Amino acid sequence: MKFAVLDFETTGSQSTDRIIQVGLVIIMDDQITDRYTSLVNPGIGIPSSITTLTGIDDDMVKDAPELDTVIAEMVPLLQDSVLVGHNIAFDLGFLQRALDENGYFPFDGKVLDTMDSLRVLFPSLSSLQLSMVSHAFSIPHERPHQADSDAEATALIWLRCLERFQGLSLLTLQRLTIIFDESLSDFGWFIQEMRLYKESFGTADESGQFFRQFELNVEDWGEEEPVREDGEIKALPEDFAAFYEQLKAVLRQRFASYEDREAQVRMLNEVEAAFEHDQHLMIEAGTGTGKSLGYLIPSLYYGLKKDKKVLVSTHTINLQEQIRERDIPLLHDLFPVDFKASVLKGRSHYLCLRKFEQKMNMQDFEHGKEDRITAGQMVVWLSETKHGDEEELHFGNKGVSFWHTVASDTDSCLNRACPWFKKCFYHRARHEANTADVVITNHSMLFTDTKAENRLLPNYKHLVIDEAHHFEEVASKHLGIELFYGAFVGTLWWLFKDSRSGQLMSLRARLQRDESERVQGWSHTIDGLTPKLVEIKERWDELAEVLYQLLASKADPTSMEGGQLVFRIKKDDQPQGWDKLLVLEDSIFLLTSEVLKKLDKLLSEMKEMQDELDLQGILTDITGTVKELYRHRDNLHFFMTMPDDNYVYWLEAGQFNKSKSLQLVSVPIDVSPMLQQHFFDVKDSIIMTSATLSVGKSFDYTCEQLGLETGAKEEEAKLKTVQLPSPFNYRQQALVAIPRDFPSIRGNAGEKQFLEHLTQSLAEVALETKGRMLVLFTSNRMLKLVHGSLKDRLSPFGMQVLGQGVDSSNRSKLTRLFQNSSSCVLLGTSSFWEGVDIPGDALTCLAIVRLPFQPPNHPLVEAKTEKLKKLNQNPFMKLSVPQAVIRFKQGFGRLVRTAKDKGIVIIYDTRVIDTTYGKYFLYSLPGPKIEHMPTNQLVPRIKQWMGENGE
């Protein structure tokens, strides 16, 4: 087969724009056989933005051939070809216009987009950007955005796709052929060609695992061999110090540059001692300590020695994956005995194979091409994955909603009656957790397990909580109740969307095969239920609309962050007309209860005949949806009637999707009694660690939030607190500079003046540091205001400005773009204050625009403030300042990530030196050099600082 891989550079993307460069690569029989490239004189000026992007300017094209000459040379090469391109729709549009304008017939061959193939064939690729794919495949791509280089890279990527297609099993290709009908698209035609090729030339010895017409990469779970013999544990030294000496000897052999880190050694010993003496431990360990190994080594040693299971909980899935991919393999290499570590996430992270099979067999693709691509991705992924975990997949824009329809969930699980049970990814993960020595889970899962009366996680008495500064906040979210507008509607639609779709319609269609009186009676019941479901949806729409109107009229638009409207509902000060809303909610409650009662009766009657009528799968799915509907009904009732005074209740919505984005939120004001009851009172030993647990060298704030007692005599106390010294020399590595004459934001004119000064100063500093600068904001609105004017100032110097929520909302994508750019300023808000790792020269300067205080009018902050006032305590000093200090320390931690990093932190908020509470912020930092100076001295001081030590 002949492929013509095409790429154009143009003056823009409109139909009036012109081609300025062509790159064409011809592939025959899996080999590149010809290349064609030319600049093109477009007859119009090239915009400066295009010159910046491509490096092509007016001078370069003034003597180039015109389009008619170039097209005449291209046409013979395109003859009898399949046209291929990366985002081919763009290039095809320009090609067809060029052919038409120059008197040729339009291109009428098959057209393929590498992006479709990449998504299906390489489901774990995190980016489809041409340069990122080239990088992932180790394909040289020296001049991105020049047509010859782009076409060459695309051709090499296409060859990789062809190789992958040929490597797929025949069964997987047959599955893909069913998903992508050849009559619907050229991509479907090509997959059919690949299948025919495989049938004709493929080899018979396909080594994969095949089950129910799917290729899998897993055996049945529960059949694995034990990882060690019973007596092996006895070989471990009796005390931890001797064991660690042994481990160090292995490390020295393995890593020539290995040296002990004082803080990490102390952490190892503190964690092991806490386990040994049944104590809780709160240990603050800064960047560079090696926290993960600091708790994993003693956890494994103690767990193996005493035959006790240890659970490790992280805040983010990212850290869970990091421990799985980086730390556990290293420990397998180092430990003298083998051990088993497992990762367990929330159930919805795993694929339900039964639901996926059903969706494939029914060809249930609500979003057309997008759903087919996602389904194709997942068929290929099933032949590769060991875990069935959605983190391994990178979906397109509708992929997440497709995943929701096939994710595992408790309510619709057939358990042992499921034909897929021994292949099931969720039950495999549960089984592995039950048989593991150490289980890596996350905070959300801990609280989901608490709500499920400890039925999800294996029994454990020893727990490590990493990223522990988030523990109270996650507890509050998970022990509370949320109801989203869309979740309620989605559940109703699962049951009945219209006369063709919905679980009840599928059930009714199956019942039609049986004409017995009893079965016809069930069909009649279903017919009676569907109008009631429509009525519940209409009443919920009506209530959501009125609640949204109430929210929009009461919320303070100036305090909105990220376009969210928020309004707190108070039981003792209900909004006018709330009684009428209660009547509407009551009618929803009664109507839903009536439907649920009838569904329960219907399901229990049908269960008697489910095997005979082959209804088991569909009845299980409906039972799951019914349980979900019970939850929505009860959550709505709880919110509207506000029965618990320890909860705070509020409405939240976006401005754009209005009532369709409505959320009703109820969370406990104080979760510490629940944390005591479920964790600290009942577990033998809990280790809490993070880089930010103390405020002004004291752990009092974090202990109070978690309901832990401090102050007892050290030897008697159940809780021990330890602050480890930083392994970095902050005095040499970080300078904190505070421009003391910087304007404040107070007053009407304050913000305008502040922003003008800020933009000016950031531009001056960025030019001195050659970009390499991260600016942390506390407000999206302020970020957007600064973004435009800073870009105007820096673009003449060839410096890029990236803004979160402006250029992209994807944190990893922005971080990647920042690291790959030679001179760039990155503006970030909330998610950039922590968890972002930019080591080395890519980041030299960190600017903190404002101290990260939480908005005082957020309902939960407001409710906590009221509670503290009732106790005659100062909420600002007890709550607002400590919260902000911990966030501030997280932000500061972005700068120095390794022992070689050096840079500057600029704090543009003079409250750190002008107020009495400012000292808590500076005193909490890990010992950097702190100086304040007039704004005009910032750049000279930065120049001097970066020049010290031969920088």
Side-chain angles (χ1 to χ4, degrees):
M1 202 179 285
K2 178 184 172 189
F3 301 102
V5 183
L6 177 66
D7 190 84
F8 287 134
E9 298 306 329
T10 63
T11 57
S13 55
Q14 303 303 311
S15 57
T16 50
D17 281 302
R18 314 298 293 166
I19 295 168
I20 55 174
Q21 192 186 24
V22 174
L24 186 60
V25 178
I26 304 299
I27 296 173
M28 286 281 282
D29 301 327
D30 300 349
Q31 299 283 329
I32 292 176
T33 55
D34 206 349
R35 293 176 176 83
Y36 173 79
T37 181
S38 176
L39 288 165
V40 182
N41 185 337
I44 60 172
I46 298 174
S48 60
S49 58
I50 296 295
T51 298
T52 305
L53 184 70
T54 62
I56 301 170
D57 60 21
D58 291 333
D59 278 352
M60 290 168 70
V61 297
K62 69 171 191 266
D63 298 325
E66 292 189 1
L67 188 60
D68 56 349
T69 309
V70 172
I71 287 292
E73 291 168 350
M74 283 173 65
V75 165
L77 293 168
L78 295 172
Q79 211 72 45
D80 304 323
S81 295
V82 175
L83 190 67
V84 176
H86 198 72
N87 191 15
I88 189 64
F90 174 87
D91 303 282
L92 181 64
F94 275 93
L95 174 67
Q96 300 292 36
R97 270 201 300 279
L99 290 168
D100 182 48
E101 284 169 15
N102 291 285
Y104 294 93
F105 288 117
F107 179 81
D108 62 355
K110 302 287 185 189
V111 179
L112 299 173
D113 196 329
T114 46
M115 290 170 87
D116 292 341
S117 294
L118 286 167
R119 277 174 65 185
V120 170
L121 297 170
F122 301 96
S124 301
L125 261 186
S126 60
S127 167
L128 293 179
Q129 208 183 345
L130 188 61
S131 54
M132 298 307 294
V133 178
S134 302
H135 179 71
F137 288 172
S138 304
I139 287 171
H141 186 207
E142 282 139 23
R143 290 173 291 105
H145 304 296
Q146 292 221 350
D148 56 339
S149 179
D150 285 359
E152 185 76 18
T154 305
L156 293 170
I157 286 167
W158 181 243
L159 286 169
R160 196 68 61 87
C161 289
L162 291 174
E163 191 186 319
R164 181 76 185 103
F165 265 125
Q166 287 157 14
L168 293 178
S169 69
L170 178 57
L171 183 64
T172 298
L173 279 166
Q174 286 167 336
R175 275 275 170 203
L176 292 175
T177 314
I178 296 166
I179 295 167
F180 298 99
D181 188 324
E182 63 176 319
S183 63
L184 294 178
S185 68
D186 288 355
F187 186 50
W189 161 82
F190 185 68
I191 289 173
Q192 177 81 346
E193 291 294 307
M194 289 284 105
R195 179 180 71 82
L196 294 170
Y197 175 86
K198 190 80 176 183
E199 284 174 348
S200 308
F201 303 106
T203 50
D205 65 322
E206 298 202 333
S207 56
Q209 306 279 325
F210 299 100
F211 186 70
R212 295 177 72 90
Q213 300 299 300
F214 286 90
E215 184 185 0
L216 302 174
N217 190 28
V218 286
E219 306 268 356
D220 286 2
W221 57 263
E223 295 181 6
E224 56 282 336
E225 297 293 313
V227 294
R228 58 179 176 269
E229 300 292 323
D230 288 345
E232 282 184 51
I233 298 296
K234 291 184 181 137
L236 283 175
E238 270 313 305
D239 82 340
F240 182 65
F243 166 76
Y244 186 55
E245 282 307 314
Q246 246 188 31
L247 200 68
K248 279 199 293 196
V250 181
L251 279 163
R252 285 195 190 95
Q253 282 174 356
R254 193 72 43 87
F255 305 106
S257 61
Y258 173 76
E259 54 184 46
D260 261 352
R261 301 184 205 174
E262 181 198 341
Q264 190 182 51
V265 174
R266 170 111 190 260
M267 183 169 181
L268 291 159
N269 290 319
E270 292 286 1
V271 171
E272 201 273 336
F275 281 150
E276 193 62 54
H277 300 124
D278 285 351
Q279 273 188 312
H280 299 323
L281 172 68
M282 190 176 284
I283 185 161
E284 182 173 84
T287 314
T289 305
K291 271 199 299 294
S292 307
L293 293 179
Y295 58 69
L296 285 168
I297 290 170
S299 296
L300 273 166
Y301 171 81
Y302 178 83
L304 292 169
K305 202 81 189 135
K306 305 281 176 154
D307 194 21
K308 300 274 177 74
K309 193 181 293 288
V310 179
L311 242 75
V312 172
S313 177
T314 68
H315 174 49
T316 55
I317 297 283
N318 260 0
L319 185 52
Q320 256 184 299
E321 288 300 323
Q322 193 176 302
I323 292 171
R324 185 205 315 249
E325 302 294 328
R326 188 189 69 186
D327 299 318
I328 296 298
L330 173 65
L331 291 172
H332 273 302
D333 274 359
L334 298 177
F335 259 64
V337 297
D338 220 342
F339 63 86
K340 190 169 172 190
S342 79
V343 171
L344 184 60
K345 300 178 182 176
R347 187 161 190 162
S348 62
H349 287 275
Y350 299 95
L351 175 71
C352 170
L353 287 157
R354 180 184 66 80
K355 286 190 196 171
F356 185 64
E357 178 189 34
Q358 190 179 331
K359 206 167 177 68
M360 293 302 94
N361 292 347
M362 307 262 300
Q363 290 285 292
D364 176 11
F365 301 126
E366 190 184 344
H367 300 293
K369 180 188 170 183
E370 273 300 316
D371 275 7
R372 288 176 192 278
I373 293 270
T374 307
Q377 239 184 332
M378 289 170 71
V379 164
V380 172
W381 170 69
L382 276 181
S383 69
E384 302 168 345
T385 182
K386 294 260 182 221
H387 307 297
D389 173 353
E390 68 168 326
E391 297 303 312
E392 301 169 350
L393 282 164
H394 285 273
F395 294 122
N397 50 9
K398 290 277 193 294
V400 175
S401 58
F402 184 94
W403 176 267
H404 287 324
T405 65
V406 292
S408 180
D409 72 282
T410 313
D411 298 332
S412 68
C413 183
L414 289 171
N415 289 307
R416 291 183 181 281
C418 179
W420 289 95
F421 183 66
K422 286 304 250 179
K423 304 280 187 220
C424 173
F425 293 115
Y426 173 68
H427 285 290
R428 176 185 306 279
R430 286 274 307 273
H431 167 75
E432 285 175 354
N434 284 325
T435 54
D437 300 299
V438 65
V439 180
I440 318 296
T441 186
N442 56 59
H443 302 351
S444 296
M445 187 67 187
L446 282 182
F447 294 112
T448 306
D449 180 56
T450 302
K451 277 177 132 172
E453 295 166 353
N454 308 106
R455 289 195 305 268
L456 307 179
L457 291 169
N459 192 20
Y460 66 98
K461 285 290 188 180
H462 298 82
L463 171 65
V464 177
I465 302 170
D466 198 345
E467 303 176 295
H469 60 286
H470 283 294
F471 196 59
E472 186 260 351
E473 166 205 339
V474 177
S476 168
K477 186 173 167 33
H478 277 266
L479 299 172
I481 291 165
E482 280 183 321
L483 175 60
F484 291 83
Y485 165 82
F488 200 161
V489 170
T491 303
L492 294 168
W493 274 353
W494 271 98
L495 286 168
F496 173 77
K497 190 170 185 180
D498 53 42
S499 58
R500 289 183 317 283
S501 52
Q503 291 167 337
L504 291 177
M505 290 303 96
S506 297
L507 177 60
R508 202 186 182 301
R510 292 197 194 187
L511 295 178
Q512 279 177 330
R513 301 174 205 152
D514 189 308
E515 293 181 2
S516 69
E517 195 176 327
R518 190 177 188 197
V519 172
Q520 289 308 305
W522 291 338
S523 295
H524 186 66
T525 304
I526 291 171
D527 292 341
L529 283 173
T530 49
K532 287 193 161 47
L533 289 166
V534 172
E535 193 181 342
I536 295 169
K537 156 110 178 25
E538 285 167 355
R539 290 191 192 177
W540 170 232
D541 278 342
E542 187 187 339
L543 178 59
E545 185 53 46
V546 182
L547 286 171
Y548 178 79
Q549 294 305 335
L550 169 70
L551 168 64
S553 65
K554 298 283 188 183
D556 173 10
T558 58
S559 66
M560 280 181 346
E561 197 43 50
Q564 282 295 96
L565 295 162
V566 176
F567 175 60
R568 181 179 168 196
I569 310 285
K570 298 182 188 176
K571 191 173 184 177
D572 51 6
D573 183 18
Q574 291 177 352
Q576 196 179 353
W578 191 256
D579 50 346
K580 290 183 183 137
L581 295 183
L582 284 170
V583 172
L584 186 51
E585 184 274 325
D586 193 45
S587 73
I588 293 172
F589 188 89
L590 294 171
L591 191 55
T592 309
S593 301
E594 183 193 338
V595 166
L596 287 166
K597 191 176 170 187
K598 287 184 175 166
L599 279 169
D600 282 340
K601 183 168 181 281
L602 183 71
L603 292 167
S604 75
E605 286 176 10
M606 285 184 170
K607 284 227 163 85
E608 297 164 25
M609 289 178 68
Q610 63 181 11
D611 294 337
E612 199 180 314
L613 296 170
D614 189 24
L615 297 176
Q616 196 177 26
I618 182 92
L619 291 186
T620 305
D621 288 343
I622 294 174
T623 304
T625 311
V626 164
K627 286 182 181 168
E628 191 82 356
L629 194 52
Y630 268 111
R631 274 197 290 276
H632 294 328
R633 179 200 71 175
D634 295 345
N635 289 352
L636 176 60
H637 189 66
F638 183 85
F639 180 87
M640 296 298 291
T641 54
M642 297 181 270
D644 191 330
D645 292 340
N646 185 39
Y647 276 70
V648 55
Y649 305 86
W650 74 85
L651 297 166
E652 203 168 309
Q655 284 176 288
F656 302 112
N657 290 329
K658 305 210 164 165
S659 63
K660 293 199 169 24
S661 63
L662 187 73
Q663 290 176 58
L664 317 183
V665 188
S666 334
V667 299
I669 299 167
D670 179 9
V671 291
S672 61
M674 300 175 195
L675 295 179
Q676 288 303 307
Q677 182 192 341
H678 296 296
F679 294 97
F680 299 113
D681 287 350
V682 293
K683 302 298 175 196
D684 291 348
S685 178
I686 297 181
I687 314 293
M688 291 151 279
T689 184
S690 157
T692 52
L693 289 170
S694 69
V695 175
K697 309 287 184 272
S698 154
F699 288 97
D700 290 355
Y701 169 72
T702 305
C703 288
E704 276 178 26
Q705 293 299 300
L706 301 175
L708 290 165
E709 292 287 326
T710 53
K713 283 185 186 164
E714 188 79 7
E715 57 276 8
E716 297 163 17
K718 175 73 176 172
L719 172 73
K720 184 178 181 188
T721 58
V722 175
Q723 192 170 17
L724 297 176
S726 170
F728 299 146
N729 184 345
Y730 277 99
R731 193 109 190 115
Q732 297 292 315
Q733 290 182 257
L735 169 70
V736 174
I738 306 154
R740 59 171 175 257
D741 56 351
F742 215 74
S744 76
I745 283 190
R746 292 192 187 90
N748 293 338
E751 187 180 70
K752 187 166 183 286
Q753 189 192 10
F754 177 83
L755 289 175
E756 281 168 8
H757 278 71
L758 178 66
T759 311
Q760 176 66 28
S761 178
L762 289 174
E764 289 168 2
V765 172
L767 290 172
E768 174 56 40
T769 60
K770 301 182 179 60
R772 302 187 299 173
M773 181 180 195
L774 171 63
V775 188
L776 294 176
F777 288 83
T778 53
S779 143
N780 289 311
R781 191 177 61 82
M782 193 180 278
L783 181 150
K784 284 173 182 161
L785 290 169
V786 169
H787 181 272
S789 50
L790 190 61
K791 201 169 182 175
D792 292 345
R793 287 177 197 235
L794 293 179
S795 57
F797 299 95
M799 203 170 283
Q800 202 179 357
V801 177
L802 293 170
Q804 187 183 5
V806 183
D807 298 289
S808 168
S809 298
N810 182 319
R811 187 178 79 173
S812 351
K813 182 180 176 185
L814 285 170
T815 308
R816 204 168 53 229
L817 289 170
F818 176 71
Q819 284 175 295
N820 292 339
S821 168
S822 55
S823 59
C824 181
V825 178
L826 175 55
L827 314 182
T829 55
S830 49
S831 64
F832 272 91
W833 283 79
E834 66 177 291
V836 174
D837 198 2
I838 309 173
D841 290 342
L843 181 62
T844 299
C845 180
L846 174 78
I848 292 175
V849 174
R850 303 280 291 153
L851 296 178
F853 284 104
Q854 275 199 303
N857 53 0
H858 185 279
L860 186 56
V861 179
E862 204 175 79
K864 286 186 172 191
T865 299
E866 287 164 10
K867 189 168 181 179
L868 287 167
K869 280 181 181 165
K870 279 181 189 161
L871 299 168
N872 289 325
Q873 293 181 335
N874 178 342
F876 183 69
M877 293 310 294
K878 290 286 284 187
L879 181 70
S880 304
V881 170
Q883 271 181 344
V885 168
I886 283 175
R887 191 94 175 123
F888 175 77
K889 285 169 71 177
Q890 282 286 346
F892 175 86
R894 297 315 96 214
L895 182 71
V896 176
R897 308 300 296 170
T898 72
K900 293 188 178 135
D901 292 353
K902 178 170 180 172
I904 311 100
V905 177
I906 305 170
I907 303 171
Y908 284 107
D909 192 332
T910 55
R911 288 178 295 180
V912 285
I913 49 175
D914 294 343
T915 61
T916 49
Y917 60 81
K919 63 183 177 214
Y920 291 105
F921 289 86
L922 299 179
Y923 186 51
S924 290
L925 295 177
K929 201 172 177 71
I930 299 175
E931 298 177 5
H932 43 90
M933 61 202 72
T935 309
N936 61 11
Q937 290 301 304
L938 266 183
V939 172
R941 182 65 184 107
I942 289 169
K943 189 173 191 154
Q944 184 187 8
W945 170 259
M946 293 310 289
E948 288 170 18
N949 304 345
E951 279 281 328

